Amino acid sequence: MDSFNEFLEKVKTSLGSLNNYQGKIHVIMGNESCDLDSMISPLALGYLWYRRKPADTLVIPILSIPSADLCLRTENCYLLKKLGIDHSSLVFSDDLNLKELQNSKRLSISLVDHHMLSSDYKFLSMSVTEIFDHRPIDSNAAWDKNKVKIRIEQVGSCCTLIADEILNFQDQILTDNLTLLLHYGIIFDTIAFSPEAGRVKELDILVSKKLSERFPLDHDVKSVFDELWSAHNDVSHLTPKQLLSKDLKIVEGLPIPGLPMLVEDYLKLQDVLQDMTEFCKEKCSSVMVIIGLHVVECEGVNQVHRDVAVFNCGTNNEDLVNIIVTNLKNAPKLKGYDFDFEEISVSVSGIKCFKQNNIKLTRKHILPLLKDAYLKYKSN
């Protein structure tokens, strides 16, 4: 068995005797969307910590979703199955009582693929000792750099940063499965290193080259991306409401689902208005921002299409909706980048939908604007 797979099984087995364990515990957390990047990166960093052999420390990488939700991440499930990694060998958010561990004063935390704790995890802030992320720095970030190791770089994938850490430590620890996981994550996030998508950076390409030298891919990068994208889009078994949970982020209580299709097309699904309304009620929010992404091949090139919609399922939320829309449109002034939005007409009530003509900007550029909008709304 691949030693990376063995590490994951060893970690999961260790949970059975956690109550009797008296040593230090280091937890590595991806973000709460648990997309491919945020699944692979904490697992890979966990293996690096394990191979460094920290004295008297149990290393536990976790996926920041309940175990029952993994089936919604179709590309995650596909890749895990491809590499022979059983779901039962992974640790999920509902497998650990982080508050109890925090109270034990033995806990330290690495944040991966995010650098701001959600409201549900604010209590962990004093335990954070390490951060790896690739999104724009939140203006409210206030980590003490003397206490927290921080590596935040604008690269296409957080997997790039973790792979670079491993390569700089000792590339011999890279197993075949770990190398493929990291490489697949980078290829997927950069859309096969497509210049048109505007996500790939020099370090992504450099790290990819080094990973290829360690364990060559069976196929070219475009074929790898197409393979994962096909799995990502294999959502025929999911309801419109389940699709909203497939790649979900929440900022200040505001749900922000990412869809494997354009919102314009999602809104054509059966019972979609009912499902969106029920989803918002379950999340205790009457406003939701939905982000759509569609990639289609044209003459051998992957073309990217994006759109964004603001859904208002309440009766007293026009002020919040208007602030959100205004912030998004005023991004050039507020953040220095332009989505080049173009409003489009849709048939579902309570929705404002915008085609995003600047496809190089992603959800990580939208999130700070939504957070600012919500805080402005609450202060009024």
Side-chain angles (χ1 to χ4, degrees):
M1 179 186 290
D2 189 283
S3 60
F4 173 70
N5 294 36
E6 288 181 349
F7 158 71
L8 297 177
E9 292 190 1
K10 182 178 179 180
V11 171
K12 187 60 176 282
T13 301
S14 71
L15 298 189
S17 56
L18 195 60
N19 290 336
N20 299 321
Y21 179 75
Q22 298 302 314
K24 299 175 183 177
I25 297 171
H26 188 77
V27 170
I28 300 168
M29 301 173 58
N31 71 48
E32 292 165 86
S33 72
C34 197
D35 57 13
L36 201 61
D37 195 20
S38 205
M39 177 187 76
I40 296 170
S41 295
L43 298 180
L45 183 59
Y47 186 69
L48 174 59
W49 266 78
Y50 169 72
R51 291 300 299 267
R52 285 173 176 162
K53 303 186 187 308
D56 192 30
T57 301
L58 176 62
V59 179
I60 307 176
I62 70 169
L63 307 188
S64 298
I65 55 170
S67 56
D69 286 355
L70 182 63
C71 63
L72 304 177
R73 278 73 174 171
T74 49
E75 66 276 21
N76 298 30
C77 293
Y78 171 83
L79 188 53
L80 291 171
K81 182 178 180 180
K82 180 183 178 75
L83 299 181
I85 300 172
D86 195 276
H87 302 178
S88 64
S89 68
L90 303 176
V91 180
F92 296 87
S93 60
D94 50 351
D95 289 325
L96 276 183
N97 187 330
L98 290 173
K99 286 188 176 180
E100 188 176 283
L101 293 178
Q102 171 83 341
N103 292 336
S104 74
K105 308 297 183 182
R106 297 178 291 136
L107 180 66
S108 58
I109 299 277
S110 289
L111 301 182
V112 182
D113 202 24
H114 64 310
H115 63 274
M116 295 294 288
L117 289 164
S118 69
S119 56
D120 289 340
Y121 289 115
K122 288 284 189 188
F123 68 92
L124 294 172
S125 60
M126 295 303 294
S127 295
V128 174
T129 60
E130 185 177 56
I131 293 172
F132 291 94
D133 198 9
H134 67 124
R135 68 199 67 243
I137 298 176
D138 192 300
S139 59
N140 296 304
W143 300 104
D144 185 345
K145 293 182 179 180
N146 294 318
K147 297 179 180 179
V148 182
K149 174 187 174 181
I150 300 175
R151 185 176 181 184
I152 299 178
E153 296 180 27
Q154 300 294 297
V155 291
S157 173
C158 197
C159 285
T160 296
L161 300 181
I162 305 305
D164 191 48
E165 290 286 314
I166 294 172
L167 289 164
N168 289 332
F169 171 69
Q170 187 181 2
D171 62 358
Q172 287 83 359
I173 75 169
L174 280 168
T175 71
D176 292 350
N177 275 1
L178 178 55
T179 304
L180 281 175
L181 269 178
L182 289 165
H183 210 172
Y184 272 48
I186 295 168
I187 291 169
F188 189 71
D189 264 8
T190 60
I191 310 182
F193 306 112
S194 166
E196 291 79 13
R199 303 183 69 172
V200 63
K201 305 298 181 185
E202 184 178 346
L203 186 60
D204 298 304
I205 296 172
L206 177 62
V207 167
S208 172
K209 181 180 179 181
K210 290 181 178 180
L211 292 175
S212 293
E213 292 170 353
R214 173 64 183 82
F215 189 81
L217 295 167
D218 291 335
H219 308 289
D220 61 89
V221 295
K222 185 180 181 305
S223 297
V224 169
F225 174 81
D226 290 345
E227 177 185 346
L228 291 171
W229 188 247
S230 176
H232 178 73
N233 290 326
D234 182 17
V235 295
S236 57
H237 60 294
L238 300 181
T239 66
K241 188 164 75 170
Q242 287 176 318
L243 281 170
L244 295 173
S245 294
K246 176 174 166 58
D247 184 9
L248 175 66
K249 293 186 188 294
I250 296 179
V251 172
E252 300 294 337
L254 187 71
I256 309 163
L259 298 176
M261 61 183 71
L262 293 176
V263 182
E264 185 179 10
D265 295 327
Y266 171 78
L267 295 175
K268 298 173 184 176
L269 297 177
Q270 187 174 0
D271 300 324
V272 68
L273 180 58
Q274 176 182 331
D275 277 17
M276 287 194 301
T277 302
E278 288 179 2
F279 181 83
C280 284
K281 288 180 179 177
E282 289 176 5
K283 300 301 177 185
C284 300
S285 176
S286 51
V287 174
M288 173 169 60
V289 178
I290 313 172
I291 300 173
L293 170 66
H294 179 57
V295 180
V296 61
E297 182 180 336
C298 182
E299 297 181 355
V301 177
N302 287 322
Q303 293 187 348
V304 180
H305 302 271
R306 299 181 184 276
D307 61 0
V308 177
V310 184
F311 175 57
N312 179 7
C313 69
T315 56
N316 301 310
N317 305 299
E318 282 301 320
D319 287 346
L320 176 56
V321 170
N322 290 335
I323 292 173
I324 288 173
V325 171
T326 299
N327 264 28
L328 292 174
K329 288 183 175 180
N330 288 342
K333 179 180 178 181
L334 297 172
K335 300 295 182 182
Y337 45 79
D338 188 359
F339 295 95
D340 191 11
F341 284 126
E342 175 186 340
E343 188 162 4
I344 55 179
S345 176
V346 293
S347 58
V348 177
S349 62
I351 281 270
K352 290 187 177 182
C353 191
F354 302 88
K355 177 183 178 183
Q356 183 181 318
N357 291 308
N358 182 357
I359 60 167
K360 295 185 177 182
L361 298 182
T362 65
R363 179 166 60 177
K364 64 175 178 277
H365 296 92
I366 293 175
L367 296 182
L369 290 159
L370 299 182
K371 182 173 183 177
D372 292 348
Y374 184 82
L375 294 176
K376 182 178 180 181
Y377 168 75
K378 294 298 287 185
S379 67
N380 288 344

